[in-house]
Every structure is written in structure tokens, then in C-alpha cells.
């Protein structure tokens, strides 16, 4: 397999030199004294809160981060390997609203949250779980974090994405200890990864820095970097955006490596453009795909896994725009080789909404792009010369040939998309595919079987939440 | 730019050897004596109607076909260059039904036909016109061909795709002479290209062979090859499908080169799989994209432009499935480098329906993939170091910086997709994007301005049709 590329080697060199120059001459602001102390100790030049990086240091510490690491699930079949060829699908994260065809757009509840986790666990294409697929707006805000973690650890066996702040990370780390053993066990077999955001342009705020330091000290892998709004928080040109975003990601990576050399990092750049008429984020724009391609190329140059892409759309409803934009972003991820695909299912409205029907649509989309990535096996058997000779020129049919019987299961089998003839489709009620998706997610929830977990662990998780242990 | 690839060089070698072996040992049936006579004269072994090809001959004649050629529009701005990097978008062709939101699914009429041509002419993303965007079911079948050509030549200035049979080719050739001069002028500056289909497995029928010979004799470029239904008319494995389809396309190419060495050819493979439950064609399947990738790689190995992909979908309506499947196929074309993108706008139901709303949706999709293909320019200006330094770390905004003002027009500007915030969208009526598309195509038709054409030519075209000159 060879990835789609837009940048020539000399372009990558030019962007990388620009990254180093930005880090060295413009610097990155770190709005948290303990972080500045770490850089000071490492001998960096600091003015006010801005750190200036020596090129050699950046190069050395970038090389210290591993090119491959594993996140562990409850059982080994759920383990996920991150490297520069991985294609890890993770559902929607952190949308303030949810929607479904029955009750429309609204704030999410405990029930909605549980349902998203059930869909994640029962998904054949999702590799990991989000710990905030939506908010539980029906429980007090300070109680949410530990219950989110408890819910996901109880209902789902896949590795997790956790974020928000150091308190949340601690909640996840401590709750994972209930299931998976000591701190040392978790450091050796990490169960979750962060979303450590830069604050564009060229900064990190206190909340993120506290979290970054907590993660680095506790062996928690981090996805580091930001979402630049090209034209607002980054330059409007992609060479400029990529330069700035990689400078931000590498600055975070350097801090991580100063704390713990070899700490696992996924470089992040989930930029897109601002719509210049409204200044709103436009994630369904082709710029989103262009960003994904450039980010993948730079991350491969750095030898590090990266995050970009996702089934993201600006549409307000599960319509043809939602389908096209999400497929554009997902397929670009697959064809250009980004590795940590967050928001791979469910997003509408540029991250504002997690939709149940969109979740099912995107599962199909994820299945499709994963199938394409399986490639074209070329063997004597697949070349099928004998079958072609058996059937011969004109008029024969392969459908009854043994070669077809032996191989047809390698074809993709859709779980949502309709391939029936028009009359059949009309007979079934001329349904828009979102209506079919609505039936599918409700059936999946109804038939969900909770994975086994010893009662003792369940009780301990519950007590961790109820007793507010994270705030002790 | 580097294309996405699934096949390794040794895979391509293995498929190519399989192609040569099929051509040599299994052969291709040509169901038309004049074609067999040409092969006989060239020294080919023939049994019944099956021609067996020497490897050396295939290699030599494949190399005789040009790697680049031009199709000419009415003015030079509409000229289209075909080569192995071209991305030529051509709308829907030959669907038996049409649909729109107002009157639903039905047979097309003269008015529908004219409307599709008006949309083609006024499209900023379509490079060529189809001469059968839909059928005119309200005029007698034998009168359709010349009127189709007349309509397109009158309403549209772009180069054409023409097909069906030799009579249709002659109608197009003679009607183009009214506009563009002598037979020699048309040979030097071809105005249209064919759809010359093989009959899988491994054959060509009389209709297509008559057309192929007419085209080769008159300098008309041809897209040659077939649509294999993997599992039905070709092996169910992709290495087998690609081998058979390339064998079919190359056999047609060889015949073309025997008639006219250097005749321009586009290799075709528009295969997908049959859905194994219904045996119906499934063009929205990921297999369609896999076929596209393999075909592009083989065509580049042969140094010839190719056709595969298109905005094709199995959906019966302009829903999220239609959006996702069409984008999958279009973006794969763009990222893998197929060149002649037929059905780039309008198709639903696996070629059965040409939809007006889908046409508008796909124009947006074509615009998006063309924008992605523009790449990431890397210059001192786009690297934007100075702008990044001006804004500096944390808190600044690029929106008011001169760099943004100078460059923001390079961002993609959607013509259909909605980026507004939820409340704005709700205020406008919470429209599914297909409803917006419905308004857009009707507005485009309403505002259409017919391109200038001397009255004399219009009259002559009309008289060619009315007097039934093609059948003289």
C-alpha cells in the first residue's frame, strides 16, 4: 500500500524547517509555572511565559517518542496498536447536544450516554470507546466525570479516550486500577489515551498542562496538539497552518519527553477552515481533508502516529451532505494514513451534535474504508486463471463456479446501505437511509448484552463514584 | 502528488502476466467477421470467433496508443486533455429513468434532456457533456440519436461522450462537421469520445465492433473495456477481475491499433460486485473503489489514461447513503488517479436513475475532490512565518492580518453544502440538503443563457435531424 500524498519531499523539508524556526524564534507560551520550571531545568530560553526551543533539542526529543505503542482492552482481542499505519476508529467525543429521529436535538442524558456506549461495545468497526460520547445533563456536573468512566468501564471492553483535565485523568487512572491492577500495571499496559489540546496560536493553558504532566508522570499515552481554524487561529494557507500546528504539537511532545523520555505521543492536527462568511468552523470543507493529508505526511516524516480526520460534517441532519462530508473525511484518513480517527461515528454540526442515526451511518462508512484498506490480495488463487479458462469467452457466468463459492465471502456485506431494486425499496416504504439507521440503533440497544465483569469490581467502581473518591 | 495504491509492483507484474496469458491461452471472442478479418490479416491465431493474441503483439500495440490526447470544445477554454493524471468529470449517461423532488421517478422527456444539458453547460466542475444524460421518451426511438446530438451541440460548448452504435457515431461525426469543418478537421481536433464496451466474459459483440471500427477509421478517441460484475461475469476475486477486464480492454485496444496505429484509447474498467443475496449490481460497494484503485494502477503501468469511478450510488433517493457512496467513488477516483470520470453527476440506483437533485449534490462533490487535488502550495508566502511571528503566542487572531486578506480566496466556497449554525438552519426551514439542491437546479435552468451559435449552423443541425440525414 502507498498513501495518497500532496506534499513533495522538499515541501516537507520546508515545512519542517518552518516548524523549527517558529519554535526557535516565535516560541510557545506555557501558562503554568511547573511546566515553565521543567523547560528552565532543561536549559530552554524563557521570556515571560514563552519558551524558545533549540532545534537540536526538538529533534532529539521528537526521536525519543516511540513510533509504536499499544493500548490494552479488557481482553487481548480488544488491544489496539498505534503506529504510523494504524487505522483506529473512535466514536464521537464531547458534543454538547445529541439527536435522534424520535426526539430530535436536545441535551444528552444518562440514558443517551449509556446507549452510545452500548453501541460502541457492540460495534464491529469501532476499536475504542469515548468516555464522553455525550453529556449526562441530568446529573450534577461535578459528578459526571467519575460516572462517565464507571459507565464505560462497566459496559465496554475496549480501550478508552479520556480527556478534560487532570482530575478526570486521575478518575480514569484510579478506576482502571480497580479493574486492571496497580499503577505499575497501568503504566506497563495503558488502558486509555488523552486528548491534550494546545491553545492556538502557539500556547498551552494551565488546565491542559496539568493534565499533560499528570499523563506523562503516569505513563498515560497522549494525543497532543490542536484544532487550528485556518484564517482565524492559524494562517489561512495550509503550509502555514501545518507549520504552526506541528510546532504546537511538537512543543507539547517535548514537554512530555522531558518529563518521561519515551512517553507515547500521537501528534494531533484536526484543523479545518473557518467559513469566511460566518467565521464558523467548517469541518466538512475540503480543507479538512487537505489538512488530514498534510498532517499524515508530516507525522510519517516524524515517524509518529497522528490524529486527523474523522466522520465529521457540518450538516444539521443525516442527509446527503452528512454522508458526503463524513465519507470525504474518513476515506481521506484511510488513504493518507492518519492513525487515531476520533469522531469516527456520530458527529453532525461540526462537533455540536452526536446523532444516533449518524452513528449507524458512520459505522457503515468506517466498515467501507476499512474494507478498502484490506487491499487486493494477489495469489495464484485470486488471479483465477483456471476459473477464467473454465468459463471461457462470451456468455458464461462465474456465479456457479466453485471459485466463486470459495471466495465470495471476501466481499463487503453492508449492514445499513440499501442495494435492493427500486420496487423492493418502494414496497418497504421508500425509506430514507436515516430511517433505517433509526431502527438499527434501537435494535442494537434492545439486544445489547453487558459484558461480564465480576460483581466485586462493579461494586467498587460504583462506590468510587458514589463516595466522590476522585475529590478526596 | 502521489496516488493511493493497493498493489505492489510485483502484484502488477503478476496481474499483467495473467492478462497476457488470458489473451494468449483463453482468447477473446469477436462476434463480427470484419473484425476477425483484421486479426487474421495481422497473423493472429483464430478458432471459431475466438482470437488468441501473441504477447509481443499485445505489448507492441499497447505501446502504440498515445499516453496523451486532447478533445476539443467549441472554444479552446473547453478543451480537455486526457493523460494519466487528468481528472475529467462527465455527467450521468444512459439512465432509463430520471427523478426530481417535484415529480418523482419517471421516464425522461425532451425537456428533462435539455435541462440536464443546460446544467452541464453551466456547471463549473463538469468538463464534458453526455449525449444521453437521459432518454427523450416522448419522441420516437429512431429519431432520438440525431436530436440528442443536435441538442447537446446547440446548448453546450464542451466536448462530448457519444455511444450506442456506429449509426450514432456517424450522426455525431456528421453533425460535428456542420460546426467544426471537414472530416480531416475532426480527425485532427476530435470533439467526442466513445463508450466502447466489451461483452464480459472475454468478448465483443457485433454492435460494439462496428462502432469500434468506425471510430478507429475516423480518428474518434475511444474508451474501451467493460463493466465486470465480480462473481457473475468476472471472477469474484479482484486480482482475477482486474486480469480479465484488462485482457478485454487490451484486446479492443489491439484491434483499434491494427486499424489505426496511434488511435487514442482510454482503458476502461468500471466493475463492481454483484450483491450475493440479490445478484444485483452494487456500485456503492467498497469493491467499486477497490476496482478503481487497481484499474488506475494498471493503467499507469500501461502508460494510458483510464476510466473508472464516478459519483455512483445504489441508493434510491438523495439521502446520506447517496452522499457517502458517491463521495467514496469520486474521492477514490481523485486519490488514485483515474482520468475519465463518467457519471460524475446525477446517478442513483446503480445507473438506473439520473436525478436532478443528485446532479447538484455531485457537482459539490466534484468541486470538493478537485479542490483537494489542487494540493498544498509551499512557498515563503504560504509558509506564513512572518504572519505567525506577527500574531505570536496565545490569544492573537489571524482574521485581521493582511496575510489572511490576501489569501483567503484560495479556500473552497461551497455552492450547496450548508455551514450555517443550527438556529440559522432551523430558521430557514430545517431543510434536508436535497431540498436546497432542488431550488438550485431550477434556478440554474431559469437563468440559463444559450451559448452563441450562428443561425446557419443551428438551421443546418435542425435540418440534419428533421430530414433524417443519418439514415440516408
Amino acid at each position: 500500500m502507498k498513501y495518497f500524498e500532496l506534499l513533495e519531499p522538499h515541501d516537507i523539508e520546508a515545512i519542517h524547517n518552518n516548524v523549527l524556526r517558529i519554535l526557535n524564534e516565535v516560541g510557545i507560551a506555557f501558562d503554568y509555572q511547573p511546566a515553565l520550571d521543567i523547560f528552565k531545568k532543561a536549559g530552554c530560553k524563557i521570556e515571560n511565559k514563552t519558551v524558545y526551543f533549540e532545534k537540536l533539542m526538538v529533534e532529539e526529543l521528537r526521536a525519543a517518542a516511540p513510533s509504536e505503542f499499544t493500548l490494552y482492552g479488557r481482553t487481548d482481542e480488544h488491544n489496539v496498536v498505534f503506529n504510523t499505519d494504524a487505522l483506529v476508529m473512535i466514536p464521537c467525543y464531547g458534543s454538547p447536544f445529541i439527536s435522534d429521529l424520535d426526539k430530535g436535538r436536545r441535551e444528552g442524558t444518562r440514558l443517551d450516554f449509556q446507549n452510545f456506549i452500548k453501541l460502541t461495545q457492540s460495534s464491529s468497526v469501532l476499536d475504542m470507546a469515548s468516555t464522553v460520547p455525550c453529556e449526562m445533563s441530568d446529573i450534577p456536573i461535578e459528578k459526571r466525570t467519575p460516572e462517565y468512566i464507571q459507565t464505560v468501564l462497566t459496559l465496554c471492553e475496549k480501550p478508552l479516550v479520556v480527556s478534560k483535565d487532570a482530575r478526570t485523568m486521575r478518575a480514569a487512572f484510579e478506576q482502571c486500577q480497580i479493574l486492571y491492577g496497580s499503577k505499575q500495571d497501568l503504566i506497563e499496559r495503558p488502558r486509555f489515551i488523552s486528548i491534550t489540546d494546545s491553545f492556538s496560536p502557539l500556547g498551552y493553558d494551565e488546565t491542559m498542562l496539568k493534565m499533560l504532566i499528570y499523563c506523562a508522570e503516569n505513563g498515560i499515552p497522549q494525543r497532543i496538539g490542536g484544532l487550528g481554524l485556518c484564517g482565524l487561529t492559524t494562517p489561512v494557507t495550509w503550509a502555514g497552518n501545518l507549520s504552526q500546528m506541528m510546532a504546537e504539537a511538537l512543543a507539547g511532545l517535548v514537554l512530555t519527553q522531558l518529563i518521561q523520555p519515551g512517553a507515547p505521543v500521537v501528534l494531533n492536527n484536526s484543523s479545518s477552515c473557518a467559513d469566511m462568511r460566518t467565521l464558523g468552523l467548517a469541518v466538512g470543507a475540503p480543507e479538512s481533508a487537505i489538512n488530514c493529508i498534510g498532517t499524515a505526511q508530516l507525522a510519517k516524516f516524524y515517524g509518529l502516529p497522528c490524529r486527523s480526520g474523522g466522520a465529521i460534517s457540518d450538516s444539521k441532519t443525516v442527509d446527503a451532505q452528512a454522508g458526503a462530508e463524513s465519507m470525504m473525511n474518513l476515506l481521506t484518513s484511510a488513504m493518507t494514513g492518519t492513525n487515531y480517527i476520533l469522531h469516527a461515528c456520530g458527529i453532525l454540526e461540526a462537533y455540536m451534535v452526536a446523532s444516533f442515526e449518524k452513528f449507524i451511518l458512520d459505522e457503515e462508512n468506517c466498515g467501507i474504508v476499512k474494507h478498502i484498506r484490506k487491499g487486493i490480495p494477489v495469489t495464484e488463487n485470486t488471479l483465477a486463471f483456471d476459473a477464467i479458462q473454465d468459463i471461457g469467452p462470451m456468455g458464461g457466468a462465474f456465479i456457479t463456479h466453485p471459485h466463486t463459492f470459495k471466495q465470495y465471502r471476501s466481499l463487503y456485506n453492508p449492514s445499513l446501505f440499501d442495494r435492493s431494486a427500486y420496487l423492493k425499496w418502494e414496497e418497504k416504504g421508500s425509506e430514507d437511509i436515516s430511517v433505517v439507521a433509526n431502527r438499527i440503533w434501537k435494535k442494537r440497544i434492545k439486544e445489547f448484552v453487558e459484558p461480564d465483569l465480576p460483581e466485586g469490581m462493579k461494586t467498587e467502581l460504583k462506590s468510587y463514584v458514589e463516595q466522590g473518591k476522585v475529590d478526596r
Side-chain angles (χ1 to χ4, degrees), chain A:
Chain A
M1 190 178 60
K2 269 194 199 151
Y3 296 112
F4 181 72
E5 297 181 355
L6 286 174
L7 296 167
E8 300 300 322
H10 61 85
D11 294 330
I12 293 178
E13 202 67 39
I15 292 174
H16 176 53
N17 287 333
N18 204 34
V19 170
L20 292 178
R21 197 174 163 209
I22 293 165
L23 286 169
N24 185 254
E25 297 179 32
V26 186
I28 306 286
F30 289 84
D31 195 9
Y32 183 50
Q33 194 54 45
L36 293 170
D37 293 343
I38 294 166
F39 285 119
K40 197 174 174 190
K41 202 176 141 198
C44 292
K45 181 179 132 191
I46 302 176
E47 280 175 16
N48 293 320
K49 291 171 175 173
T50 300
V51 179
Y52 300 88
F53 298 81
E54 289 300 324
K55 293 179 184 185
L56 197 65
M57 182 199 201
V58 175
E59 296 283 26
E60 275 179 15
L61 291 179
R62 184 251 295 178
S67 58
E68 180 168 306
F69 65 92
T70 301
L71 281 185
Y72 293 81
R74 207 193 286 173
T75 59
D76 279 347
E77 73 191 291
H78 293 298
N79 295 351
V80 167
V81 176
F82 280 91
N83 56 36
T84 55
D85 289 318
L87 188 65
V88 179
M89 300 294 190
I90 313 162
C92 48
Y93 193 102
S95 298
F97 299 101
I98 71 136
S99 80
D100 62 43
L101 284 188
D102 305 291
K103 288 182 269 174
R105 184 184 191 262
R106 63 194 190 277
E107 292 196 324
T109 62
R110 178 182 271 153
L111 181 65
D112 296 316
F113 185 109
Q114 289 167 349
N115 285 345
F116 275 121
I117 301 300
K118 288 175 182 178
L119 292 177
T120 303
Q121 166 68 6
S122 61
S123 173
S124 63
V125 295
L126 288 170
D127 303 296
M128 291 175 56
S130 283
T131 49
V132 196
C134 69
E135 295 285 344
M136 297 184 183
S137 63
D138 50 350
I139 72 166
I141 205 156
E142 68 282 3
K143 293 205 172 165
R144 290 183 194 172
T145 280
E147 180 163 339
Y148 290 1
I149 312 285
Q150 178 213 357
T151 306
V152 184
L153 286 177
T154 307
L155 294 177
C156 187
E157 299 171 291
K158 300 178 180 184
L160 320 179
V161 167
V162 180
S163 187
K164 199 176 165 193
D165 51 26
R167 174 180 175 270
T168 305
M169 283 296 157
R170 192 156 63 77
F173 199 73
E174 291 174 351
Q175 284 174 283
C176 278
Q177 284 182 53
I178 296 170
L179 264 65
Y180 301 124
S182 69
K183 174 177 168 178
Q184 196 50 40
D185 289 334
L186 284 185
I187 289 173
E188 276 165 25
R189 293 166 65 89
R191 306 288 169 160
F192 57 93
I193 186 169
S194 78
I195 302 177
T196 307
D197 282 328
S198 57
F199 186 92
S200 297
L202 302 175
Y204 282 86
D205 67 15
E206 181 174 332
T207 302
M208 281 298 138
L209 289 169
K210 278 185 182 165
M211 187 171 92
L212 183 150
I213 293 170
Y214 182 86
C215 288
E217 287 174 346
N218 289 284
I220 301 166
Q222 302 191 69
R223 145 251 172 270
I224 301 182
L227 182 163
L229 255 118
C230 141
L232 275 186
T233 63
T234 76
V236 78
T237 50
W238 283 102
N241 174 287
L242 289 165
S243 301
Q244 182 186 315
M245 297 314 291
M246 283 296 121
E248 293 179 11
L250 286 180
L253 175 143
V254 163
L255 177 55
T256 310
Q257 302 303 312
L258 286 174
I259 299 165
Q260 180 59 56
V265 170
V266 172
L267 289 180
N268 184 72
N269 178 13
S270 41
S271 301
S272 190
C273 60
D275 187 272
M276 284 294 158
R277 295 163 300 189
T278 62
L279 300 188
L281 173 62
V283 299
E287 280 76 12
S288 213
I290 290 170
N291 175 70
C292 187
I293 297 159
T295 301
Q297 287 197 251
L298 285 162
K300 284 180 210 315
F301 171 76
Y302 292 138
L304 292 169
C306 71
R307 182 246 162 157
S308 197
I312 48 181
S313 170
D314 302 316
S315 182
K316 268 59 71 183
T317 183
V318 184
D319 61 0
Q321 175 180 350
E325 291 181 338
S326 302
M327 180 56 92
M328 175 198 75
N329 281 311
L330 266 184
L331 189 58
T332 300
S333 296
M335 288 198 170
T336 203
T338 61
N339 317 112
Y340 170 112
I341 321 293
L342 190 63
H343 311 289
C345 286
I347 291 291
L348 287 176
E349 279 187 46
Y351 305 122
M352 291 297 285
V353 165
S355 147
F356 282 101
E357 289 81 21
K358 179 72 166 27
F359 197 103
I360 301 301
L361 168 73
D362 291 333
E363 281 194 322
E364 185 82 286
N365 288 340
C366 287
I368 285 171
V369 306
K370 281 188 165 185
H371 190 82
I372 293 170
R373 276 279 294 260
K374 280 187 190 164
I376 304 176
V378 179
T379 64
E380 210 183 305
N381 179 39
T382 62
L383 284 165
F385 179 83
D386 293 344
I388 292 169
Q389 193 166 45
D390 284 350
I391 303 299
M394 246 167 152
F398 288 79
I399 186 69
T400 52
H401 195 281
H403 184 267
T404 306
F405 277 109
K406 275 182 204 149
Q407 306 285 340
Y408 80 92
R409 282 184 193 83
S410 63
L411 298 178
Y412 182 75
N413 200 8
S415 53
L416 171 67
F417 287 172
D418 189 292
R419 293 174 173 180
S420 55
Y422 181 78
L423 290 174
K424 199 93 193 164
W425 175 77
E426 204 181 26
E427 207 176 278
K428 287 186 290 181
S430 305
E431 288 174 332
D432 183 289
I433 208 68
S434 60
V435 176
V436 184
N438 178 269
R439 261 202 310 279
I440 290 178
W441 76 257
K442 289 193 280 197
K443 184 164 183 281
R444 283 256 296 279
I445 299 297
K446 206 174 159 189
E447 293 173 354
F448 181 75
V449 179
E450 201 175 306
D452 286 332
L453 191 65
E455 267 318 309
M457 285 183 182
K458 278 195 202 173
T459 314
E460 217 178 321
L461 283 175
K462 219 171 161 189
S463 121
Y464 183 94
V465 175
E466 283 169 1
Q467 296 176 24
K469 284 196 185 167
V470 68
D471 296 311
R472 73 184 171 277

